[in-house]
Amino acid sequence: MNATRSRTLAWDATTAIEALAAADSALWIWTPALDEMRFTGSTRPLGLGPLAPECSAAAFVAVTLPQDRSLAEGLLTPREEGTEIAVRLRMRGSETCLWRGVWLEDGLRAAGLVALETKFAGAQKDQLTGLLDRRGFLARAADVLAVPGDYELVVADVDRLRRLNEALGHERTDLVLSALGSRLAAAFSDQASPARIGEDEFAILLPRPATGNAAERVREALEQPLRVAGFDIYPTVSIGFVSCEGGADAADAAELLRRVELAVGQAKGAGRSGAAAYGRALESDSLSRLALEADLRNAFVRGEIEPFFQPIVNLNTGAVAGFEALARWRHPKRGLVPPDEFLGLTEEMGLMNDLGLMMMTQSARQLSDWLRRHPRAGKLFCSVNLSVGEIERPNLIEDVARVIRETGLPRGALKLEVTEGDIMRDTEKAAVILQKLKDVGASLALDDFGTGFSSLSYLARLPFDTLKIDRYFVLTMDKDEGSAKIVKSVVNLGRDLNLEVVAEGVENASLAKLLLDASCHYGQGFGYAPALPAQEAEVYLNESLSDGTAPLKQRSA
């Protein structure tokens, strides 16, 4: 290499200092025997201006934020030669900085580079909330857990985020998530390392509180009502948590997070606003879940999933008017698997459209058979739920037309139930699809009316035949005046729009009487019967035809 080229590529001290300054970085050297920390480079943006060009260990620790002083002391503790250093520290007046280095010369000195965390491999910040992202949280947790002490790791999963996306759209849902992130940051100091570790998951890691409960503090922070784009939102979260110890024998941060997410899954299985602590039993549950996934795929092939039928009764005459088909899984070893154990899994595995088509086909065939063998049943109908998003799947209209044609069902006998979320995403597109479904012979019901985020304006424009009142309002209408008013309002609205109204949650004769007084058309609930296998549902239908009315419990069990 010639001399000119050598001079061109040479790095002198001035060039190095300019490069460090441009990158908001600095070199550091720590010599314990001299009690001296020296800096070269851009110290002011890093919060090291008052210390440069050299300082003592005590001065260095004093400038770090109080919650990070134990980490700063750990950085200064002599180690064996070759021991690497990677720690995040926050100095007064600066953002979080990443210190990287290595111990040299039999542990006599340590040297390395310090820079704003945002300069290393991206910001490791969640762009939406400004909290740490998953990678940043794991790195921060590893630093914290290196210090001896008792800690608690908490993860909160926002319930029904998909429902929010469907009803509000992604942009408005992002506003909700951003607000939740701000609330978490306000409720906990940076010491808790608040983070958004997934689309709908938030996490904190903090010293185990002497009093109180960290999981409940997270719930209090996140489960506060908020208003977004004119909608009142009442968020709920499912929470998992684990207690852990820091120090040399601390568990790996990623492993702890895996454990907590198992607990979150347990909490979500218990319903909204659930909470669960990690325990060893969850490990076997996780393995069982893998086995259940494999069994579920086979269940579709082996025909183990079948419709059960819950009666829907004409409140005025007491006769069975129809049934709602609900999916049940007859597992060859476990017996009847509850729907809340496999429907969520079916959705996660992307099998909901397959389930929807299977349920529609089998239910239509069963209804056709009943109509042929029980002519006295009159205009018997069967309701089948369209799963979330199924209204937009390709070939839905063709499949419905084919099923009605092949089974010979009368027009309107097959009733398809959709949710508000399905039509709120794109009301105009939904209107076109719904009209085509009616044109091929299906009737349409709007399920759980009153529980979503809809306005009433679309009801007059969409071709529904039926409104279904959510069971919560029906169950509480004899005790809660507000629920009673909602039920009556929906019934009146239905009549004004020439829509039939079905009330779910009819548990006894008293509720049936209240609904009849409100002029509601149909009732459905355990007061009449649960969802029954096809053979038992036919027996129930026969009894209703023989007696003239469907059996009804006088009181709730």
Side-chain angles (χ1 to χ4, degrees):
M1 184 181 293
N2 59 44
T4 302
R5 183 169 175 79
S6 297
R7 286 196 299 273
T8 303
L9 297 179
W11 281 76
D12 58 23
T14 302
T15 303
I17 291 172
E18 288 175 350
L20 290 168
D24 287 337
S25 304
L27 298 175
W28 58 270
I29 299 176
W30 162 236
T31 309
L34 301 177
D35 189 24
E36 180 184 84
M37 175 78 84
R38 294 188 60 84
F39 302 101
T40 301
S42 180
T43 55
R44 187 175 300 278
L46 306 175
L48 301 172
L51 304 177
E54 62 186 51
C55 68
S56 66
F60 176 73
V61 172
V63 174
T64 60
L65 293 182
Q67 57 266 36
D68 279 5
R69 285 177 182 169
S70 59
L71 296 174
E73 291 168 351
L75 183 150
L76 300 174
T77 303
R79 310 285 183 186
E80 295 181 0
E81 181 177 344
T83 301
E84 294 185 357
I85 297 169
V87 64
R88 285 165 175 76
L89 293 177
R90 286 157 295 183
M91 320 302 288
R92 298 183 186 277
S94 176
E95 299 177 23
T96 300
C97 293
L98 180 59
W99 294 68
R100 301 295 299 269
V102 65
W103 281 93
L104 307 167
E105 300 170 358
D106 294 326
L108 298 178
R109 290 189 307 145
L113 177 73
V114 54
L116 293 173
E117 186 177 34
T118 54
K119 300 295 182 178
F120 281 95
Q124 294 193 327
K125 293 276 188 178
D126 175 55
Q127 296 300 311
L128 181 63
T129 63
L131 304 178
L132 291 172
D133 62 14
R134 190 181 189 91
R135 183 172 62 177
F137 178 74
L138 287 172
R140 179 68 183 167
D143 292 343
V144 173
L145 292 170
V147 180
D150 294 326
Y151 299 92
E152 192 158 6
L153 175 58
V154 181
V155 171
D157 186 292
V158 181
D159 296 324
R160 302 199 308 168
L161 184 70
R162 180 173 294 183
R163 178 76 181 269
L164 279 177
N165 272 324
E166 293 161 1
L168 301 179
H170 288 282
E171 291 184 2
R172 290 171 177 170
T173 302
D174 282 350
L175 294 176
V176 174
L177 292 171
S178 179
L180 295 180
S182 297
R183 288 177 174 181
L184 191 65
F188 294 91
S189 68
D190 285 345
Q191 184 180 9
S193 306
R196 181 181 176 221
I197 60 172
E199 182 185 13
D200 54 0
E201 284 188 323
F202 294 90
I204 61 163
L205 174 66
L206 73 168
R208 192 181 306 164
T211 59
N213 183 299
E216 287 308 308
R217 285 179 59 196
V218 171
R219 188 181 303 284
E220 290 171 7
L222 298 180
E223 289 193 349
Q224 298 295 325
L226 54 94
R227 190 169 181 80
V228 173
F231 297 100
D232 291 321
I233 310 298
Y234 298 87
T236 61
V237 293
S238 298
I239 292 178
F241 55 94
V242 66
S243 297
C244 51
E245 294 183 1
D249 297 326
D252 179 71
E255 167 61 17
L256 286 173
L257 192 56
R258 184 193 69 82
R259 295 176 186 176
V260 178
E261 290 181 326
L262 284 179
V264 170
Q266 178 82 356
K268 291 186 78 68
R272 281 182 285 171
S273 288
Y278 170 79
R280 298 294 299 177
L282 294 181
E283 298 292 349
S284 59
D285 287 347
S286 180
L287 293 174
S288 298
R289 179 184 171 88
L290 288 175
L292 193 64
E293 288 183 8
D295 286 350
L296 184 56
R297 289 191 184 278
N298 290 329
F300 279 84
V301 177
R302 294 192 295 251
E304 295 169 3
I305 298 176
E306 63 184 84
F308 275 34
F309 299 89
Q310 185 170 35
I312 299 174
V313 175
N314 186 314
L315 290 169
N316 191 45
T317 66
V320 173
F323 294 89
E324 179 179 359
L326 299 166
R328 296 294 185 266
W329 178 13
R330 290 190 187 275
H331 192 282
K333 295 181 179 178
R334 299 179 56 179
L336 204 61
V337 181
D340 58 0
E341 288 190 23
F342 76 87
L343 288 182
L345 187 58
T346 303
E347 184 174 5
E348 290 178 23
M349 295 170 65
L351 298 173
M352 289 302 283
N353 286 346
D354 299 293
L355 178 63
L357 180 57
M358 179 188 299
M359 286 291 293
M360 180 171 59
T361 303
Q362 293 184 16
S363 301
R365 288 173 181 168
Q366 185 62 72
L367 178 61
S368 177
D369 183 54
W370 284 339
L371 287 173
R372 186 179 68 256
R373 293 191 290 111
H374 301 281
R376 287 197 300 145
K379 295 182 178 180
L380 197 68
F381 63 84
C382 185
S383 294
V384 179
N385 293 284
L386 292 183
S387 62
V388 172
E390 193 177 359
I391 191 174
E392 296 177 356
R393 77 166 173 86
N395 303 321
L396 172 65
I397 296 164
E398 291 82 357
D399 286 338
V400 172
R402 176 181 52 78
V403 167
I404 292 174
R405 182 178 65 253
E406 291 177 353
T407 56
L409 286 178
R411 188 173 191 83
L414 177 63
K415 184 172 293 190
L416 303 177
E417 297 188 7
V418 298
T419 65
E420 290 183 79
D422 268 334
I423 57 180
M424 284 294 287
R425 279 200 304 272
D426 188 337
T427 306
E428 297 304 321
K429 181 178 179 181
V432 173
I433 296 172
L434 292 175
Q435 187 57 57
K436 289 181 178 179
L437 290 172
K438 286 204 71 170
D439 291 342
V440 298
S443 56
L444 303 169
L446 180 58
D447 196 13
D448 295 342
F449 181 72
T451 62
F453 311 94
S454 60
S455 67
L456 300 179
S457 60
Y458 65 78
L459 277 180
R461 296 186 287 114
L462 296 175
F464 286 109
D465 305 285
T466 304
L467 295 180
K468 297 195 75 172
I469 308 175
D470 183 73
R471 66 191 306 270
Y472 170 80
F473 301 120
V474 177
L475 284 171
T476 57
M477 67 181 295
D478 57 346
K479 307 178 188 69
D480 186 289
E481 185 178 349
S483 292
K485 288 180 178 178
I486 289 174
V487 170
K488 292 176 183 177
S489 296
V490 174
V491 171
N492 291 333
L493 175 66
R495 290 195 172 276
D496 290 343
L497 295 174
N498 294 317
L499 301 175
E500 295 178 330
V501 178
V502 177
E504 298 181 294
V506 181
E507 301 292 289
N508 52 52
S510 175
L511 289 175
K513 177 66 165 56
L514 290 174
L515 290 165
L516 181 59
D517 292 343
S519 300
C520 185
H521 301 92
Y522 300 107
Q524 174 183 351
F526 284 91
Y528 293 107
L532 303 168
Q535 187 174 1
E536 294 180 26
E538 186 172 6
V539 171
Y540 190 94
L541 176 62
N542 268 325
E543 291 176 353
S544 172
L545 293 173
S546 299
D547 298 341
T549 60
L552 176 60
K553 293 180 183 177
Q554 293 303 307
R555 296 180 178 84
S556 301

